[in-house]
Amino acid sequence: MSTAPGPAEATAASTETLTEPEAVPSGSVREEYENLVDLVRKYRFAYYQEDEPLVSDAEFDDLFRRLEEIEALHPELVANDSPTQEVGGEVSAAFAAVEHLQRMYSLEDVFSLDELEAWITKAEAGITKLGDTARPAWLTELKIDGLAVNLLYRDGKLVRAATRGDGTTGEDITHNVLTIKEIPQELTGAGFPPEMEIRGEVFIPSKAFAEFNEALIEAGKAPLANPRNAAAGSLRQKDPAETAKRPLRMFVHGIGAREGLETLSQSQTYALLEKWGLPVSPYFEVLGSLEEVLAFIKRYGDKRHSLMHEIDGIVVKVDDLATQRALGYTTRVPRWAVAYKYPPEEVHTKLLDIAVNVGRTGRVTPFGVMEPVKVAGSTVGMATLHNQDVVKAKGVKIGDIVVLRKAGDVIPEIVGPVLALREQQEPPVRDFVMPTECPSCGTPLAPGKEGDVDIRCPNARSCPAQLRERVFHLAGRGGFDIEALGWEAAIALTQPAEPDVPPLVSEAALFDLTHEDLANVRIRREKRSKGVATGEFELVPYFYSKGTAKSPSKPTATTEKLFKELEKAKTQPLWRVLVALSIRHVGPRASRALATAFGSMDGIRKASEEDLAHVDGVGPTIAAALKEWFAEDWHLEIIDRWAAAGVRMKDERDESMPRTLEGLTIVVTGSLPDFSRDEAKEAILIRGGKAAGSVSKNTSYVVAGENAGTKLDKAEQLGIPVLDEDGFRELLANGPAAATAGGVGPEDADESEDSAESEAALESEGVTE
C-alpha cells in the first residue's frame, strides 16, 4: 500500500483497453462496487490510522485497481467521496490537525514495464502538445517504503512537521520529528524562501530495523512487522522520548509552498536542498530515455536488498519544473510523475500448521506450513521460524493470518500475525508446542550445550532425518556437486517406502552403491490425471522404470547419470570433501583454508586443536568442532570407506607454482568469463593469497566481473585497486608489480552473492522449499 511520496494508494489504471461502458450497471456490479468501496476504506484506515495492515500491499492494490476499473466502465457510480478521488487516509483524532500550505498528492502506480512504457509515451505526447519538442529528462529515484512527512520552515527554522493525512490536512507530529537528528531545526546557508514546505519520507534503515527487532526478540517482546509500519508507529508515539529510541531517518524529495524560490528543475532543487543541510537521497539519476529508465529499474531491482532502506519500486518524474506545472494534476495524482512497483515481497496468508525439521547436524527448526501463496515471483507454502523462542517472540499461533516475506532468493520468513484478524479465524487459533522427542527417531531432544537456544537430536548417527539432510547437503554445489542427487533422491536413498532397509544407513556407503542396491527402491508418489493431482498415492520405483511384460524394468537415465557423477565426485578437491562431511561450523571458506594449510585429510585429522585454530579463517570454535568430529569412530568410517572407494583425500601441491600473492587479500565479485567463483578463489589460495568475502581497508585488490555491485562500490570509496579479468591474470602470474586496474564493467551493476560465504556463515538446516 505504498507510493512515494508516502505509502501507496494504488494507481489510477489506464482505461484505454477497457470495454465500452454498459448502459446501466447490473445489480451485481453495483453490489461489488459498494463492497469494494467499503473494503478499501476499511483497509486504508487500518493502514494509515492504526499502522496495522489487514491485507498486504498487493491485495490492496488489486482491490483498488478493480475499483478503478468498475468506475471507468460505470462513471455514473463515482461519488465525490470515492476512495479513488482521495489522497492518503484520514487524520487521527489523537493528534492536532494542521492544514498544508499546498496540497500533498499521491502518485499513480504502474505494475508492469509495459504499463510504465505506456505512461511515459502518454506523458511525452502531452509534453509535445504543450509545444515542447525536446525529449524530457526523467528524474528517476527509489520509492522509499516509509511515511510521507511535510516539514514547514519559516525564515530557515523548522516550525512544524505533519503527516500527509488526506493531502490537505495532516497530523501535527512536530515533537516526534524533532527527535530525528538529521532533520535540521535550522537551515544552513542563505537564499531560502521566508516560508517553505519540504516533502520527504521518514524511514528506518534496513540494518537498523533488523538490529532493533533482534533486541526486541532478546527482550521477549514481539518484533515489529516491517520498516514502514515501524516508522509510522514511531512518529505516532505520544511520548517523543519513545520516538527518540527508534532509529529513524529521512530523505527529502520535493517542495510544496515555496514563494520566491526559483529553480529550473527537480534535480537542481535537490542540490539546493542539500546545500541547506537537508538530507537528500543518494539514489537518484536524471535520465534521457525510456531505455535508461528501464535499466535503472533493473539495476536497483537486482540490488534492492543491499540498499540502505526498503524500497517497493521506482519513481519517475519530469525533471523540468515548468513542464511539471504545465502538465498539472488530477484530483489525486500529478500528471508528471509515476511510481513503478516491483512484484510484492510481502503477502498475507493463513498459517495452517507449525511443524519441525531436523537438520543435518541435529538442529530442530520450527517452520510454518501455509496456504500456498505467490510472493517475489514464486509460490511459497513453507517458511522458517528459526527456533521456539522466535515463535514465541513473534506471537504467531496456528490458524493465524500471517505476514509472509520473501526477499529475492532469501528463505521465506513469517514476519508476524495480523492480530486484528485473529478472533475471526475458524477454527480458533492454537499455540505451538515444541516437541520433546525427535519426530524422526524418537530420541529426547536437548540443547547441544548449556546456554544454547536451539535444541538438537543427539542421535546423529542413526537419525533418518539427519542422514537424509547430510546426503542432500553433500551433493550440493559447495560439496561434491552431484546434480543427479537432489532432495527426492536423498529421501529415496535414506527413507524409501520400500525396502525396509534403505540403500544408505550411513553416508559412508555412498560410493559403494551398485545398480542392484537401487533396483527395488520405491517411494510414495501422488497419482495425477491429465497433469492434475488426484489426492491418491501409489508406490512407484524411483531409480528404475516401472517395467512391463514387453519392457523389463531398467535404470532410468537419471540413475545412470547419478553413477557417472559419483565417479566424477571422487576427483573433487579436498576442500569440497570437507564440506561434504557436514562438520558443524565448517563451510566452504574454512574448508579451503584447511585444505590449503594442511594439504590432506590425514594432516587435518592429526593436527592439534591449537594448530587448527591458528589457520586464517578457522579460529577456536571451528578447531574445537573439528577435533570433536574426528573423535567419533563412525565419522572416521566415512572417511575410510570414501578413501577406499577412490575419493580424493589429498591435494597434490604444485611446488612450482609461484607464491605471487603472498600476504595479499583479494576479493572476487561478479562473474568472470573464464573463472568460476571457486576456480578464482582456488587460484588465489594456491599462490599464497587470502580469498576474502568482503571488502575492508585491509583488502589489497578487488577483482570485478560482470554484475559486480556493492563490493565494487565500497572498493572505489576506499580507494582499493580494482582489476578486470585481464588484470587478475597479470596479478596471478607476476604479482602486484604487474597488475593494472581498470576495465571493471558497469559501475552500478548489481552485486552477485557469494554463495560460498553465505553457506559458510549459515548452516543449511532450514526448511527445503
Side-chain angles (χ1 to χ4, degrees), residues 664-672 677 680 684 690-729 731 739-745 751:
L664 299 181
T665 299
I666 299 166
V667 174
V668 179
T669 182
S671 57
L672 303 174
R677 183 64 60 84
I684 294 166
K690 177 182 177 183
S694 58
V695 178
S696 71
K697 62 181 181 180
N698 297 320
T699 303
S700 308
Y701 292 92
V702 169
V703 179
E706 291 185 13
N707 300 326
T710 56
K711 293 178 185 178
L712 174 58
D713 295 340
K714 189 168 183 180
E716 292 170 341
Q717 291 170 9
L718 296 175
I720 294 167
V722 177
L723 306 178
D724 60 11
E725 185 168 348
D726 290 338
F728 182 45
R729 291 183 183 280
L731 180 68
T740 56
V744 298
E751 180 178 5

Side-chain angles (χ1 to χ4, degrees), residues 211-277:
E211 292 171 349
F212 191 80
N213 262 353
E214 286 172 8
L216 289 176
I217 290 173
E218 287 178 8
K221 299 178 181 178
L224 302 175
N226 57 56
R228 187 270 162 197
N229 290 101
S234 299
L235 289 177
R236 290 193 173 100
Q237 295 288 323
K238 287 293 187 180
D239 183 359
E242 289 300 314
T243 302
K245 296 176 183 178
R246 307 287 178 95
L248 296 172
R249 295 192 61 180
M250 182 178 184
F251 282 149
V252 300
H253 51 54
I255 298 185
R258 75 279 192 123
E259 187 176 349
L261 177 63
E262 295 184 3
T263 53
L264 299 177
S265 66
Q266 188 92 9
S267 53
Q268 186 182 22
T269 303
Y270 282 6
L272 202 53
L273 294 178
E274 191 169 23
K275 181 180 177 182
W276 290 335

Side-chain angles (χ1 to χ4, degrees), residues 343-373:
E345 294 194 322
E346 276 193 3
V347 296
H348 289 190
T349 188
K350 187 161 188 170
L351 180 63
L352 303 175
D353 197 6
I354 298 177
V356 296
N357 180 68
V358 183
R360 60 190 172 92
T361 62
R363 187 174 66 188
V364 180
T365 306
F367 65 93
V369 180
M370 301 160 300
E371 289 183 350
V373 62

Side-chain angles (χ1 to χ4, degrees), residues 109-342:
D109 291 344
V110 294
F111 297 88
S112 71
L113 297 179
D114 287 343
E115 285 183 283
L116 176 64
E117 184 175 358
W119 186 93
I120 288 179
T121 300
K122 184 177 179 181
E124 287 179 338
I127 293 170
T128 301
K129 286 181 180 179
L130 295 172
D132 188 349
T133 57
R135 287 187 79 174
W138 300 103
L139 187 142
T140 310
E141 60 191 358
L142 306 188
K143 189 158 83 67
I144 304 169
D145 201 5
L147 182 73
V149 170
N150 188 38
L151 308 175
L152 176 60
Y153 284 88
R154 289 197 179 111
D155 297 323
K157 294 182 180 180
L158 180 62
V159 296
R160 191 175 73 202
T163 64
R164 182 176 58 180
D166 63 6
T168 301
T169 305
E171 301 152 318
D172 191 333
I173 53 170
T174 306
H175 293 299
N176 289 339
V177 166
L178 289 173
T179 68
I180 304 175
K181 295 178 182 178
E182 66 185 333
I183 298 178
Q185 297 185 32
E186 187 167 354
L187 301 178
T188 58
F192 35 80
E195 188 171 66
M196 176 175 60
E197 288 181 312
I198 306 295
R199 274 79 190 265
E201 204 85 6
V202 172
F203 63 94
I204 296 181
S206 300
K207 183 179 179 181
F209 178 74
E211 292 171 349
F212 191 80
N213 262 353
E214 286 172 8
L216 289 176
I217 290 173
E218 287 178 8
K221 299 178 181 178
L224 302 175
N226 57 56
R228 187 270 162 197
N229 290 101
S234 299
L235 289 177
R236 290 193 173 100
Q237 295 288 323
K238 287 293 187 180
D239 183 359
E242 289 300 314
T243 302
K245 296 176 183 178
R246 307 287 178 95
L248 296 172
R249 295 192 61 180
M250 182 178 184
F251 282 149
V252 300
H253 51 54
I255 298 185
R258 75 279 192 123
E259 187 176 349
L261 177 63
E262 295 184 3
T263 53
L264 299 177
S265 66
Q266 188 92 9
S267 53
Q268 186 182 22
T269 303
Y270 282 6
L272 202 53
L273 294 178
E274 191 169 23
K275 181 180 177 182
W276 290 335
L278 289 155
V280 175
S281 170
Y283 302 119
F284 80 89
E285 295 179 23
V286 178
L287 305 173
S289 68
L290 171 66
E291 291 72 25
E292 289 178 312
V293 171
L294 295 179
F296 184 98
I297 288 171
K298 182 182 185 308
R299 185 184 342 137
Y300 280 103
D302 290 340
K303 64 195 294 186
R304 63 189 289 192
H305 302 297
S306 61
L307 301 173
M308 178 193 306
H309 53 69
E310 291 291 316
I311 65 170
D312 61 357
I314 299 293
V315 176
V316 182
K317 304 174 181 176
V318 174
D319 190 40
D320 183 75
L321 293 181
T323 304
Q324 286 186 13
R325 290 190 290 271
L327 288 173
Y329 299 81
T330 69
T331 57
R332 194 174 63 85
V333 300
R335 293 190 176 92
W336 45 265
V338 69
Y340 166 79
K341 295 188 74 174
Y342 290 117

